[in-house]
Amino acid sequence: MSIETISLSGRKKEVSNKKMTFMESLYLVAIAKGLWITLGHLFTRKVTIKYPEETRELSPVYRGQHMLMRDDEGRERCTACGLCALSCPAEAITMKAEERKPDEKHLYREEKYASIYEINMLRCIFCGLCEEACPKQAIYLTKSRVMVKSNSNREDFIFGKEKLVMPLDMAINNTKPQMAN
Amino acid sequence: MDQAIIIEKSIFIVVIFAITMLFAMYETLAERKLAAWLQDRIGPNRAGPGGIMQPLADGLKLFSKEEFFPNTPNRFLFIMGPAISMSTALITSAVIPWGDKLHIFGRDVILQATDINIGMLYVFGVLSIGVYGIMIGGWASNNKFSLMGAMRASSQMISYEVAMGLALIALVMMDGSLSLRHIAEGQHGWRWNVLYQPVGFLIFLVCSFAETNRTPFDLAECEAELIGGYHTEYSSMKMGFYLFAEYASMFISSAILAILYFGAYNYPGMDWVAENWSANASSIIGIGVLFIKICFFIFFYMWVRWTIPRFRYDQLMKLGWKMLIPLAIANIVITAVIILLADQA
């Protein structure tokens, strides 16, 4: 069997330039056939998903917006080691480290913390390498369906700590079931 | 003319105007819905339950859009373009018989704005004025592409009008009258003209597609292959009027198709209903039957639009001049021979 005759889909057809018969050249049969096909589509199942009412299921590896985590006492986990920024292929992450004062022990877990932590969302490709690189399990990509809200101002796409750090009440909520046990 | 007739006709004209407008409005929704269903989609469903308010939303949008005028040599003609298209689409409905006689308040009400004995000629005369709407719109746009689009559209409409008229001559020869009511009444019961003039019907159908600028003959407005058409420079409600005129003329030409070839308001068993119930019941059912036929043709127009691709322009002209016109002439000759033989027999 030569390679020309193989048809993997089973729908391969030889193109021919044969002269049409009189009936074929009237196109009436072809038009009727076409109309019949489209009419059939009136009664088939609709294939689209009605978006705002119905949403497509996310894949298990979906990665949404980033979140800087707090530990079970509500302290920020990030120590500004810079590994996430180093692993970031798009170079979207920048940060500035600062030393923890004695009276800030309830705010930050380690002696060093990130006073500024910014992700440029115009650059971020949501690859999740920052999450993998983090030794302190501080940065996570959430399952949030919102990745980046649309905006017309480019400055607003640089997300600072106020947008990235996990809200305190959320951290408290997360620790509740553990306390019950 | 006595006063009662004037009042009766005025009311009738207002009602017909409202029905035509309503049909044109909801055809836009039907078109979009049907297009969606034929393509396995859902279609507009945001405005009102199932999208029922969509035409109103579209209208509101068109009204609130920016009114744009190109630097045209004649602003008056620029506005007249859509106005002519719209009015020609609407005044055709004057001669259409919408039903048999109704007997109300001791009077016989004829469901037709005016029964003139040159009804068919009137329809053709008005249709040919429709070309002016497109041509003037294209010319007044002061845009060479619009002008070319207008030339394309008008030459198409004119060449298909010839075949349309010829297809109709055979029908008029059979019936012996140009009055639409006479033709409608001639198709009593099952004696529908489509059974006697199938070729004429096919030619007329194809030509009315071309006359209303619907796919596969919508070269007037394909922005994909040719840049837009005669309405490139039109915006807001002026553009809306052109579209509205297209949908109104679709309704009217569906009505003409139903009346000329598909038995108008006649239906089998009409005499039985008139005898056993009442004459009024029979003609009210007749109006319903006519509107069902009209709706079927509107559906057919849309069904074809979403099935058959556009013609190339030379193919379109070839079909019009080299196929339909000779076919229509042959149809006339054959019909004449048959009538002659039937008379001698």
Side-chain angles (χ1 to χ4, degrees):
Chain A
M1 194 197 248
S2 74
I3 192 89
E4 282 83 24
T5 56
I6 294 172
S7 168
L8 288 177
S9 64
R11 287 178 301 197
K12 187 171 174 180
K13 268 185 192 163
E14 279 293 319
V15 180
S16 78
N17 271 338
K18 76 170 174 61
K19 216 162 158 41
M20 280 191 282
T21 60
F22 175 71
M23 272 315 279
E24 277 172 342
S25 67
L26 283 181
Y27 291 108
L28 284 176
V29 179
I31 287 171
K33 253 187 206 167
L35 286 171
W36 180 249
I37 288 169
T38 40
L39 189 70
H41 278 266
L42 267 183
F43 307 106
T44 50
R45 202 173 58 85
K46 308 287 171 255
V47 289
T48 46
I49 290 174
K50 298 177 200 163
Y51 167 61
E53 287 93 31
E54 260 175 62
T55 44
R56 200 182 283 274
E57 217 171 285
L58 293 175
S59 104
V61 293
Y62 171 82
R63 293 184 284 259
Q65 208 184 69
H66 312 68
M67 190 180 269
L68 285 169
M69 306 299 273
R70 292 175 188 273
D71 68 358
D72 46 10
E73 290 168 43
R75 299 173 300 185
E76 284 178 26
R77 303 182 84 117
C78 177
T79 74
C81 63
L83 282 175
C84 50
L86 203 66
S87 71
C88 182
E91 297 201 23
I93 305 177
T94 49
M95 69 190 72
K96 198 176 158 209
E98 206 125 319
E99 201 175 330
R100 184 181 69 183
K101 306 268 174 1
D103 59 330
E104 288 174 338
K105 272 194 177 175
H106 64 289
L107 289 177
Y108 311 109
R109 195 172 155 125
E110 315 273 338
E111 286 89 17
K112 205 172 92 188
Y113 71 96
S115 63
I116 297 173
Y117 192 101
E118 285 178 349
I119 303 179
N120 186 342
M121 286 300 179
L122 292 174
R123 289 173 149 235
C124 179
I125 54 169
F126 295 89
C127 62
L129 288 183
C130 48
E131 180 183 337
E132 269 176 46
C134 185
K136 298 288 180 189
Q137 297 182 328
I139 189 161
Y140 272 97
L141 287 125
T142 57
K143 296 276 175 202
S144 159
R145 279 176 182 276
V146 182
M147 294 176 102
V148 185
K149 282 227 170 76
S150 56
N151 205 319
S152 54
N153 185 7
R154 291 183 78 86
E155 261 72 59
D156 290 346
F157 287 111
I158 296 171
F159 281 20
K161 271 178 84 169
E162 75 282 357
K163 281 186 188 164
L164 292 173
V165 176
M166 177 190 257
L168 207 58
D169 48 342
M170 196 174 163
I172 293 164
N173 266 341
N174 284 351
T175 52
K176 258 181 193 164
Q178 289 170 5
M179 283 178 172
N181 288 337
Chain B
M1 209 189 291
D2 84 283
Q3 215 155 16
I5 290 181
I6 295 176
I7 294 169
E8 174 196 307
K9 291 294 180 200
S10 312
I11 294 171
F12 183 74
I13 287 168
V14 169
V15 169
I16 283 307
F17 183 74
I19 289 175
T20 313
M21 287 302 220
L22 207 71
F23 255 86
M25 244 167 90
Y26 274 91
E27 270 167 42
T28 59
L29 177 67
E31 172 100 72
R32 292 172 68 182
K33 273 283 186 193
L34 208 71
W37 291 339
L38 291 174
Q39 295 166 353
D40 297 340
R41 294 185 283 120
I42 289 143
N45 62 350
R46 291 290 115 182
I52 203 90
M53 308 291 274
Q54 190 65 42
L56 298 178
D58 287 342
L60 200 69
K61 183 191 138 197
L62 283 171
F63 269 119
S64 59
K65 283 201 122 178
E66 188 195 349
E67 190 85 358
F68 172 77
F69 283 96
N71 193 8
T72 166
N74 197 329
R75 209 169 139 127
F76 174 71
L77 284 184
F78 187 71
I79 301 169
M80 278 308 281
I84 292 172
S85 278
M86 188 74 198
S87 42
T88 51
L90 286 175
I91 59 178
T92 324
S93 59
V95 291
I96 291 173
W98 298 99
D100 217 342
K101 290 183 190 74
L102 268 185
H103 200 70
I104 329 172
F105 304 128
R107 302 172 46 85
D108 273 338
V109 178
I110 300 165
L111 294 172
Q112 189 176 12
T114 170
D115 182 15
I116 46 179
N117 54 7
I118 50 157
M120 247 5 271
L121 283 184
Y122 172 83
V123 169
F124 274 89
V126 170
L127 274 181
S128 57
I129 292 173
V131 177
Y132 286 91
I134 285 171
M135 200 60 222
I136 286 174
W139 181 79
S141 294
N142 196 17
N143 174 340
K144 54 177 170 272
F145 299 112
S146 289
L147 182 64
M148 272 151 73
M151 299 282 284
R152 205 165 57 222
S154 48
S155 62
Q156 168 194 328
M157 284 172 88
I158 289 168
S159 46
Y160 276 83
E161 220 161 89
V162 177
M164 200 179 194
L166 288 175
L168 214 88
I169 285 175
L171 184 66
V172 172
M173 272 160 50
M174 263 177 60
D175 198 76
S177 170
L178 279 166
S179 156
L180 280 167
R181 181 166 286 276
H182 192 271
I183 294 173
E185 276 165 4
Q187 309 177 54
H188 203 75
W190 265 116
R191 223 200 67 82
W192 292 4
N193 280 337
V194 66
L195 305 174
Y196 297 85
Q197 284 284 336
V199 179
F201 167 71
L202 265 181
I203 296 167
F204 195 86
L205 185 72
V206 171
C207 291
S208 51
F209 271 92
E211 277 292 308
T212 48
N213 279 333
R214 299 276 306 173
T215 320
F217 303 99
D218 65 340
L219 283 121
E221 50 183 76
C222 45
E223 59 281 279
E225 298 99 302
L226 308 155
I227 7 84
Y230 57 92
H231 50 41
T232 320
E233 296 290 339
Y234 281 89
S235 62
S236 72
M237 207 54 204
K238 296 197 291 312
M239 169 79 187
F241 258 49
Y242 267 132
L243 296 182
F244 214 74
E246 185 191 314
Y247 283 100
S249 63
M250 196 165 116
F251 170 63
I252 300 293
S253 66
S254 298
I256 291 174
L257 269 167
I259 284 160
L260 290 182
Y261 288 98
F262 268 76
Y265 43 79
N266 294 301
Y267 54 94
M270 205 175 173
D271 294 327
W272 185 87
V273 174
E275 269 171 36
N276 289 298
W277 296 352
S278 70
N280 268 357
S282 143
S283 55
I284 286 169
I285 295 174
I287 297 169
V289 166
L290 177 61
F291 271 88
I292 289 169
K293 286 170 188 169
I294 291 173
C295 289
F296 169 75
F297 276 110
I298 289 172
F299 167 75
F300 187 73
Y301 267 99
M302 293 172 182
W303 182 17
V304 167
R305 172 165 185 183
W306 299 102
T307 303
I308 300 173
R310 266 185 205 117
F311 277 107
R312 216 170 55 213
Y313 200 71
D314 60 315
Q315 292 172 334
L316 177 127
M317 279 297 166
K318 195 178 157 198
L319 179 72
W321 288 101
K322 287 191 181 168
M323 309 277 290
L324 290 184
I325 292 176
L327 201 64
I329 291 171
N331 191 35
I332 291 174
V333 172
I334 292 166
T335 312
V337 167
I338 290 172
I339 290 173
L340 212 67
L341 289 178
D343 277 355
Q344 280 171 357

